[in-house]
Amino acid sequence: EISTGGMIAASILAGRALAPFETAIAIWKSFLAARESYHRLEKNIRSFPHERGTMQLPAPEGNLTLENLVYAPNGQKPIIKGVSLKLDAGETLGIIGPSAAGKSTLAKLMIGILPPTSGTARLDGAEIFKWGRELIGPHVGYMPQQVELFGGTILENIARMEPNPDHAKVVEAAQLAGVHEMILRLPEGYETIVRPGNASLSPGQRQRIGLARAVYGNPRFVVLDEPNASLDGEGEQALLEALSTLRANGVTCVVIAHRPNLVQHTDKILILQNGTLKEYGQTKMVLHKYMAPHAIPAAGGA
């Protein structure tokens, strides 16, 4: 008995009434995933050790020692398995190895981002993970595999978001990284605003700014995780010059790379495979051993 118009109206009203339920069903899977992620994050934060030292230790010279270092997250299969080495102040170490060998994890253990499951990573004899972050930060430089810049100016990013950055030190770091001229060519120079996710800067530009951030303040220990991954020829030449300057200044450097032209400029090389130290020694000896007749293991993200 209902008219055609009434049928259409009823259909529209029913659709509008059921729309919230349909939307809830559509997003339910995402909601569950977000809730599980939140609980995992909360659990990890609670279980993460926060014991950091408050003692003001002397500025480190850059002597690095790894003693039977093991890292197994949350009791899982170890990623790093008993790595030991020693670097004197001013030496440069190249780390190479296949994809998922644990190279980036080892770098994070070296600078104290991750707590070792067993063993220790020491800088000038002090366990680096237990060294207070605000106390050790100015003496350590780190450039991750994927450089992320914080919301703010390029000047603030290079200065590690310090409240009152020293402009002279910012320019010095940019010049050491070979990025000073590139920054000056930007419309706003050092005052150029960087926003997370903003594609105004290319990956290569971000990586070079990340290098400047790593060397800001003349740190004594610098770790660079694949610093030439997004660089062109000019950027890679600037990187080589920066490494040469750091070496001349007596800065201890650890470089994760897979291009021979970069690791050839190091004092020592460590080959990591499945989290285990496969080879460690003087660069010339290791390269001679593995480049003929064997090839250096292909590298990638760890």
Side-chain angles (χ1 to χ4, degrees):
E1 296 178 357
I2 193 171
S3 66
T4 302
M7 293 172 62
I8 295 174
S11 177
I12 293 174
L13 290 173
R16 299 286 291 179
L18 294 175
F21 299 97
E22 293 177 350
T23 303
I25 292 171
I27 67 172
W28 187 248
K29 185 176 181 180
S30 298
F31 169 74
L32 292 179
R35 186 174 65 180
E36 291 175 4
S37 298
Y38 174 79
H39 289 320
R40 285 198 303 269
L41 183 61
E42 185 179 37
K43 180 181 178 181
N44 287 336
I45 291 176
R46 288 180 177 178
S47 63
F48 194 81
H50 295 280
E51 297 83 3
R52 302 284 191 173
T54 58
M55 177 69 181
Q56 180 71 51
L57 297 173
E61 295 180 1
N63 299 292
L64 177 70
T65 304
L66 306 185
E67 302 171 354
N68 197 28
L69 204 61
V70 176
Y71 180 68
N74 300 322
Q76 299 175 11
K77 183 179 178 181
I79 298 176
I80 300 298
K81 308 168 186 176
V83 174
S84 299
L85 61 85
K86 183 178 180 181
L87 280 181
D88 294 329
E91 287 189 319
T92 302
L93 171 68
I95 299 179
I96 58 178
S99 178
K103 301 186 297 298
S104 294
T105 300
L106 181 59
K108 292 175 183 177
L109 289 166
M110 285 180 172
I111 61 173
I113 293 178
L114 297 175
T117 304
S118 64
T120 56
R122 300 182 182 276
L123 190 63
D124 282 27
E127 193 169 348
I128 193 167
F129 178 76
K130 295 182 179 180
W131 206 324
R133 296 296 88 185
E134 293 184 0
L135 302 176
I136 187 61
H139 307 298
V140 174
Y142 175 57
M143 179 178 168
Q145 197 173 73
Q146 295 182 347
V147 175
E148 293 292 341
L149 301 180
F150 300 102
T153 64
I154 290 178
L155 183 149
E156 292 170 334
N157 271 276
I158 293 177
R160 307 182 181 184
M161 309 307 288
E162 287 183 357
N164 299 301
D166 187 325
H167 292 191
K169 288 184 178 180
V170 170
V171 173
E172 181 183 1
Q175 290 175 335
L176 195 157
V179 75
H180 176 67
E181 297 296 332
M182 185 205 77
I183 294 175
L184 292 181
R185 288 195 295 268
L186 296 174
E188 303 297 328
Y190 282 88
E191 300 299 328
T192 300
I193 299 294
V194 177
R195 294 180 177 85
N198 190 345
S200 59
L201 295 176
S202 69
Q205 289 175 316
R206 288 173 177 269
Q207 198 159 36
R208 294 177 70 179
I209 292 172
L211 176 60
R213 179 171 60 189
V215 300
Y216 172 76
N218 298 314
R220 303 309 304 165
F221 178 43
V222 175
V223 177
L224 307 176
D225 193 349
E226 295 197 18
N228 58 347
S230 302
L231 298 182
D232 55 13
E234 179 185 351
E236 188 156 346
Q237 181 60 36
L239 172 62
L240 292 174
E241 293 176 1
L243 289 175
S244 177
T245 302
L246 291 172
R247 190 175 182 180
N249 292 340
V251 178
T252 305
C253 295
V254 174
V255 182
I256 297 175
H258 58 272
R259 298 180 188 175
N261 63 330
L262 190 57
V263 297
Q264 284 176 357
H265 297 271
T266 61
D267 298 302
K268 297 178 180 179
I269 283 184
L270 183 154
I271 298 180
L272 199 66
Q273 190 168 17
N274 295 324
T276 303
L277 192 154
K278 182 178 180 181
E279 191 75 33
Y280 173 63
Q282 297 295 321
T283 298
K284 291 183 179 179
M285 296 177 61
V286 175
L287 287 181
H288 177 75
K289 179 178 179 180
Y290 280 89
M291 291 190 72
H294 305 290
I296 295 177

